[in-house]
């Protein structure tokens, strides 16, 4: 479940474990995980607050910070046959069939996690939120999402392995200042998969330009506009003192 939030609520919710977030539910073997999927356009006039909030979420031990784009890789193989072979009578992908196939790359992971990935792939293909390009049909978009679902990068796989569903929600933080490459359609497809899986996603774009908007339907994520648009803003690493203080608090709380 993707929660709708204000900019301030965004940072309150990302601190919370899943089970105390609004609308968390476990019923009939299904876990409904409330997550955030948001884009932050521009920069706060209060620069200290901007960086403090960004660092608080990006430097967390259950977060992965992306500062280079693209952060995913495209696939040239034709997965059309594999996609159709994995469909059930109801027209939806069957995770069990995917897990038993020779193209499935995640067999080293715990079975429950594999099923979670399989269900996320099924769901993003059932109702694609990726915009078609050129003369793509609806089926073409589904096959593209299915194909990209088989290419989760190792650093992202490590992130989702930290997920314990009712507790800490892993976070993917993306900082796109347009000096560090360009977001691609494969990146957007991976973000859709991670959103469906239940990962918190926050995308920062200091210039306030389009990136994810070029690929993903905008109903799926929140957009928060801040006061200033700033070009060529390098990511500011947190000070050593802040890092020591934050790590000290973690150890104290453990």
């Amino acid at each position: 479940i993707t929660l709708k939030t204000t900019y301030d609520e965004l940072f309150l919710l990302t601190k919370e474990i899943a089970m105390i977030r609004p609308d968390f539910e476990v019923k009939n073997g299904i876990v409904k995980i409330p997550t955030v999927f948001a884009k932050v356009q521009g920069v706060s006039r209060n620069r200290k607050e901007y960086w403090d909030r960004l660092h608080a979420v990006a430097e967390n031990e259950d977060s992965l910070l992306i500062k280079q784009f693209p952060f995913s890789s495209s696939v040239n193989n034709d997965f059309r046959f594999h996609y159709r072979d994995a469909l059930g009578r109801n027209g939806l992908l069957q995770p069990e069939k995917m897990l038993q196939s020779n193209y499935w790359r995640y067999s080293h992971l715990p079975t429950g996690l594999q099923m979670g990935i399989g269900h996320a792939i099924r769901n993003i293909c059932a109702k694609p939120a990726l915009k078609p390009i050129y003369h793509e049909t609806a089926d073409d978009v589904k096959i593209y999402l299915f194909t990209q679902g088989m290419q989760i990068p190792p650093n992202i796989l490590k992130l989702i392995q930290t997920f314990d569903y009712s507790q800490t929600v892993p976070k993917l933080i993306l900082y796109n200042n347009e000096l560090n490459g360009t977001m691609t359609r494969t990146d957007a497809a991976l973000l859709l998969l991670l959103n469906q899986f239940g990962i918190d996603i926050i995308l920062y774009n200091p210039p306030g330009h389009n990136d994810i908007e070029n690929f993903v339907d905008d109903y799926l994520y929140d957009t928060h506009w801040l006061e200033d648009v700033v070009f060529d803003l390098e990511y500011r690493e947190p000070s050593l003192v802040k890092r020591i203080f934050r790590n000290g608090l973690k150890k104290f709380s453990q």
Side-chain angles (χ1 to χ4, degrees):
I1 302 172
T2 305
L3 299 172
K4 295 295 180 183
T5 71
T6 65
Y7 178 65
D8 291 330
E9 288 170 343
L10 189 60
F11 302 98
L12 296 174
L13 276 167
T14 52
K15 293 178 183 177
E16 305 290 3
I17 61 173
M19 66 187 298
I20 64 172
R21 293 183 179 190
D23 301 323
F24 176 83
E25 184 182 12
V26 181
K27 190 176 181 180
N28 300 327
I30 296 173
V31 184
K32 293 184 178 179
I33 304 159
T35 63
V36 299
F37 189 2
K39 180 174 180 182
V40 179
Q41 297 271 56
V43 180
S44 301
R45 200 150 288 159
N46 183 337
R47 297 291 195 268
K48 182 180 183 303
E49 179 190 69
Y50 177 82
W51 288 113
D52 282 350
R53 284 181 161 183
L54 199 163
H55 292 153
V57 66
E59 300 293 325
N60 204 293
E61 61 184 5
D62 55 8
S63 296
L64 175 63
L65 175 63
I66 300 292
K67 296 186 289 184
Q68 292 292 327
F69 297 88
F71 63 98
S72 61
S73 54
S74 58
V75 186
N76 295 321
N77 296 348
D78 188 353
F79 275 68
R80 195 170 300 269
F81 170 78
H82 299 315
Y83 171 81
R84 289 174 180 156
D85 190 54
L87 291 174
R89 292 182 179 179
N90 59 1
L92 299 175
L93 290 167
Q94 302 298 301
E96 296 81 4
K97 287 187 178 181
M98 287 188 270
L99 266 63
Q100 294 166 8
S101 67
N102 59 1
Y103 56 79
W104 186 253
R105 299 181 56 195
Y106 313 122
S107 55
H108 62 290
L109 299 175
T111 304
L113 180 56
Q114 291 185 56
M115 287 297 292
I117 295 172
H119 278 277
I121 294 171
R122 182 193 68 180
N123 292 342
I124 63 170
C125 292
K127 294 181 179 179
L130 194 73
K131 296 177 180 178
I133 56 173
Y134 310 122
H135 300 293
E136 276 187 331
T137 64
D139 269 358
D140 290 334
V141 176
K142 292 177 182 180
I143 292 165
Y144 181 85
L145 289 168
F146 173 80
T147 303
Q148 291 306 132
M150 303 303 157
Q151 309 297 323
I152 303 174
N155 59 341
I156 304 290
L157 274 181
K158 287 180 182 177
L159 180 70
I160 66 177
Q161 286 180 75
T162 66
F163 207 170
D164 50 9
Y165 301 103
S166 66
Q167 299 295 316
T168 302
V169 179
K171 302 162 205 0
L172 186 70
I173 312 302
L174 306 106
Y175 186 78
N176 181 15
N177 58 6
E178 300 181 358
L179 301 174
N180 49 4
T182 303
M183 180 178 287
T184 63
R185 197 173 189 232
T186 60
D187 291 340
L190 181 54
L191 291 179
L192 288 175
L193 177 61
L194 295 176
N195 169 246
Q196 183 60 232
F197 189 79
I199 303 294
D200 284 340
I201 300 169
I202 306 177
L203 168 61
Y204 285 85
N205 189 297
H209 288 168
N210 283 0
D211 42 35
I212 193 172
E213 293 90 343
N214 296 327
F215 309 110
V216 173
D217 291 334
D218 59 10
Y219 74 86
L220 207 65
Y221 56 92
D222 287 332
T223 300
H224 305 289
W225 276 99
L226 304 182
E227 297 91 347
D228 298 336
V229 294
V230 182
F231 305 99
D232 306 335
L233 184 65
E234 295 279 4
Y235 182 80
R236 182 186 298 173
E237 298 291 343
S239 68
L240 182 60
V241 173
K242 280 185 181 177
R243 281 186 166 169
I244 292 172
F245 180 70
R246 189 173 291 123
N247 289 335
L249 284 179
K250 285 177 192 171
K251 289 176 183 177
F252 182 75
S253 64
Q254 288 169 357

